[in-house]
Amino acid sequence: MKRKMLLLVEDNLVLRGALKELLSMEGFSVFAASNGLEALSIMEVVLPDLIISDISMPKMNGEEFFKMVRKRSEWIAIPFIFLTAHGDDEAILMGRSLGAEDYLVKPINQDALITTVNARLKRAQELQIVQLQEAYESSLMMLANAIESRDRYTRGHVERVRDYSLMIGEQFGLEKAQLQNLRFGAILHDIGKIYVEESILRKETSLNEQDWEVIRNHPLVGVDMLKDIPYLVSTIPVVRSHHERWDGSGYPDGLKGEEIPLLARIVAVADVFDAITSDRVYKKARPLKAAYQEILDQASILFDPEVVKIFEMLWKKGDIQKIVEMLETIPKKGENSL
Ligand SMILES: [Fe+2]
C-alpha cells in the first residue's frame, strides 16, 4: 500500500526533528516545514494526506496557514491537526472555530500523536469512499433517467424502482452487500434500452414481432454493457432477469420460480408496479390501488409469492405510498427552470 504523506509544520527545530523521526518510524512519509509559507510551497509540489501544524510560528502562523489551505478546493478535505502550547485555551478555541479536525497539546505524547493521526486518516478515507459512491450513484442515476425518459412521461421511475426494491430487500433480511447489488441493479435494470430506437419505444400502434424482438433483447444488451465493469458485474443477474416471470413466461431465458435470481424477482415486482402507475405513449397511468391489486393477483403466476407477500405488508403499512408521495415532490422537467 502507498505510504501516507504527512506534512509537519513546526518552527522549533528540535521538536520538528523528533516528530519527523517518530512519524517516519511509524511508516509515514514526512515532509517538514518551519512555517506556513514554507509549507504552502511544499504543497504546490506534494499533496499531503494530513497536515500537522504548530500555531505560533514566524512569517506565517498556523491560523493563517490553515485559512490558506482551506481556500483551495484540492486542499479543502485534507485533515488538519493543530499543535498547541499547554494551557493555550485561546488557540484551542481558534482551531475549533476554524474547523480543524483535531489538536494536540505540547509536550506531545507519542501515543496520542500516532492514535490521532491514524484516526484522522481513517476517517478521511471513509469519507472519501462515501463521496465516491455517492458521485458514482448520481452519475448512473443520470444515465438511467436519460434512458427512461425516452419512453416514459412520468419522471422518477428509476428512483421509485430503486426505493421499492430496497424496501422489499430489507424486509427479506438481505445482507449489506446484497442490498448494494440490489440498489445498483434496480438503477441499471433497463440500461440496455439505450439501443432500442425511440420510434419503437414511442410507437402508438401495436408493436410487430420485429419490434418485440428488439425490446426483448434489452436485458442481454444491458449485460453486455456491464460485463467488463468490475464494480457493476454483480448487478448483472438483475439486469438479465428482471423480465423473467415466476411461471416461466418471461424473457430472455424463460427461467421459472427460484431459478430466477432473488434480486431480479424483487426488481420485477417493483418495476411492474411502477410501470402500471406511469403514463406511457400507448396507455394512461392507472391508480396506485389498481396496480397494487394487479401485483397481488399475479402472485405465483408472474411474481414470486414471497416477494408479493412482503410487498402487500409494506403497502398495508403505507410504506409504498410514502415513496410515491416523497418522489412526487421532486420538480418535473422544466417546472422551476428557465
Ligand atoms: Fe426492462
Side-chain angles (χ1 to χ4, degrees), residues 54-55 57 61-68 82 94 98:
D54 187 15
I55 293 180
M57 293 179 291
N61 68 25
E63 184 180 350
E64 291 166 306
F65 171 53
F66 180 85
K67 284 180 182 164
M68 293 299 284
F82 273 125
M94 180 279 294
L98 286 179

Side-chain angles (χ1 to χ4, degrees), residues 167-205:
M167 209 176 242
I168 297 170
E170 276 163 19
Q171 285 297 324
F172 240 105
L174 296 182
E175 286 172 12
K176 211 173 153 201
Q178 284 286 78
L179 286 172
Q180 186 73 346
N181 295 341
L182 183 60
R183 169 185 288 274
F184 283 105
I187 293 172
L188 295 169
H189 69 279
D190 270 346
I191 195 149
K193 274 194 185 164
I194 199 163
Y195 290 114
V196 180
E197 285 167 38
E198 213 156 310
S199 60
I200 297 179
L201 294 173
R202 291 183 167 261
K203 210 168 185 177
E204 287 184 44
T205 53

Side-chain angles (χ1 to χ4, degrees), residues 205-228:
T205 53
S206 55
L207 299 176
N208 60 37
E209 194 41 43
Q210 223 173 353
D211 298 336
W212 272 117
E213 210 173 295
V214 175
I215 288 191
R216 279 199 206 103
N217 206 29
H218 80 271
L220 294 177
V221 173
V223 170
D224 206 47
M225 288 169 72
L226 297 168
K227 69 179 191 315
D228 298 320

